Amino acid sequence: MSLTDAVAHLSPERWEQANRQLIRKALAEFAHERLITPEPVGDKDGDSYVVRSDDGLTRYRFAAARHALDHWQVDADSITRSRDNAELPLAALDFFIELQQTLGLSEEILPVYLEEISSTLSGTCFKLTKPQVPSAELVKSDFQAIETGMTEGHPCFVANNGRLGFGIHEYLSYAPETASPVRLVWLAAHRSRAAFTAGVGIEYESFVREELGEATVERFRDQLTGQGLDADDYLLIPVHPWQWWNKLTVTFAAEIARGHLVCLGEGDDEYLAQQSIRTFFNNSHPDKHYVKTALSVLNMGFMRGLSAAYMEATPAINDWLAQLVEGDPVLKSTGLSIIRERAAVGYRHLEYEKATDRYSPYRKMLAALWRESPVSSLQEGESLATMASLVHIDHEGASFAGALIEQSGLAPTEWLRHYLRAYFTPLLHSFYAYDLVYMPHGENVILVLKDGVVRRAIYKDIAEEIAVMDPDAVLPPEVRRIRVEVPEEKKLLSVFTDVFDCFFRFLAANLATEGILEEDDFWRTVADVTREYQASLPELAEKFEQYDMFAPEFALSCLNRLQLRNNKQMVDLADPAGALQLIGNLKNPIAGF
């Protein structure tokens, strides 16, 4: 690729469009999080608003519809920016500088946040060069075409494609939306520093041979033997190519020089990066495991490393949850399954460990896990889609969810009921029966579809994201890490924030805007499914009363505020509840039903 080709996507027209889209999202989400307070402007239909800069002299004017949960559906084409009565072009970087104090961006955070915004805008420009696939066509596509066809990223976060550390050639090679095939780099790691753990019934040697193929394993063994090393003294670790070139070759130079780490080259299988950027789907053999790698890139409030210490308990936590799901009749009846993280490998750099605490990015540079593929669980006529697709909107404003409803031939509320029983009922039951919560956002759930109807849900990203909030829960020793202490009044926020505010809010507003499903009908259906679940388990009546899904309101937990305050580590992982930014309350949209 030539030097100029690398930036061909950055044209004035695309840049203008990307900036308009991002400012639209910033106005909508910052108004939702009460960082800005748009003032109504005297239009007769009352849907025009203005937001002023810190000094009061720059005005952003726009039209917006207000929805449940204080959701702002801002019309991108209506946004104008003016100063001293002169119209100015929309420029996202200026927007954040003009509202720096309002948004609470410190001198230290502002430039880094602007870099993340620039990266997000650049990614949008690249997406605008791709053939525009209408939602009606995308619903007929295969799992990975849908995965790489997503254009928005996280619906709440404004700077959601920071990926600080990627240059443009790396963006084009490794970003999920570029759909570039990737071969993973394989290292041999000396067993004195590395550990492999696996779920029940998995043994290292046979597992690695199944994943890599006999020929590749033998080739790697021959390389070690050829260097006078004993292959049995080493474990194989898959590494993101970026991590090898940019981190391990320099930061782990001592380990390579001493022969603790030996680079064996690339594997033979081709993988595709998923929405979570460091997880790979095996495109050569879709039935084989996903591979999740450490990636020391700053993205959406965290360095995306993987901790060797965390990896040790990962398979056990997954086995524990799989057993729980398998043994629970309510969860079984919803069709819920999890794709287990079956094996993990981590490497401990002893000197960095001596120099850091357990949360340091230096301890998260070399580890990997293998997660089951959902492909082999499909039955005749079933297909897969990331749940993030439900809030995807195409270039003509048509939603993926709307296209599925159309394809299903069902009434919209009926379609919604199927989806809620598959996705939402298991979340409710896990909470009420086991005090168990997930991180069930769009990228962490895979939907199994048949003729446009959601048949069942598959939860993923288990070990790092689930938590048991009951301090007295009896957990096996290796699983105890998932127990967290959460104040009583914050427990239900796991449903209200993660599901209602961060997902249903967008889905409901999109379907209403398209004229497919009235917002009241959406939330009434959510209320119906909640009540239907509660009526089926009278023995949990006390819990239903104690944690009231129909409470008039709940606390507004703000995600962008976390990132604006500290975009390198949004949340203290030791105390996730303590880190929440709670600003006032939201009206519970199902309370009235």
Side-chain angles (χ1 to χ4, degrees), residues 414-460:
E414 209 35 52
W415 181 91
L416 182 61
R417 206 176 293 273
H418 282 277
Y419 160 62
L420 293 171
R421 283 177 185 149
Y423 162 67
F424 185 53
T425 301
L427 293 175
L428 289 175
H429 186 61
S430 299
F431 177 87
Y432 285 111
Y434 303 105
D435 285 283
L436 167 68
V437 295
Y438 307 82
M439 185 63 76
H441 55 62
E443 190 278 310
N444 267 355
V445 178
I446 296 168
L447 300 176
V448 179
L449 303 163
K450 188 171 184 182
D451 303 323
V453 182
V454 179
R455 299 294 293 266
R456 50 198 168 86
I458 301 170
Y459 296 171
K460 68 179 183 68

Side-chain angles (χ1 to χ4, degrees), residues 98-111:
E98 288 166 355
L99 280 97
Q100 178 183 356
Q101 288 160 324
T102 303
L103 299 175
L105 277 161
S106 68
E107 299 292 331
E108 185 195 2
I109 298 280
L110 178 63

Side-chain angles (χ1 to χ4, degrees), residues 384-395:
L384 299 166
T386 174
M387 191 175 85
S389 63
L390 293 189
V391 293
H392 170 78
I393 304 279
D394 72 14
H395 53 291

Side-chain angles (χ1 to χ4, degrees), residues 189 193-197 235 237 307-309 311 344-348 366-368:
R193 305 260 174 141
F196 175 87
T197 50
L235 294 170
I237 300 188
S307 148
M311 287 306 99
V345 60
Y347 186 88
R348 298 178 61 180
L366 184 49

Side-chain angles (χ1 to χ4, degrees), residues 11-30:
S11 71
E13 302 74 32
R14 284 193 281 268
W15 188 252
E16 198 279 325
Q17 203 180 332
N19 275 263
R20 184 170 287 279
Q21 283 180 21
L22 190 129
I23 290 173
R24 180 215 69 74
K25 186 172 187 177
L27 289 167
E29 288 307 297
F30 294 163

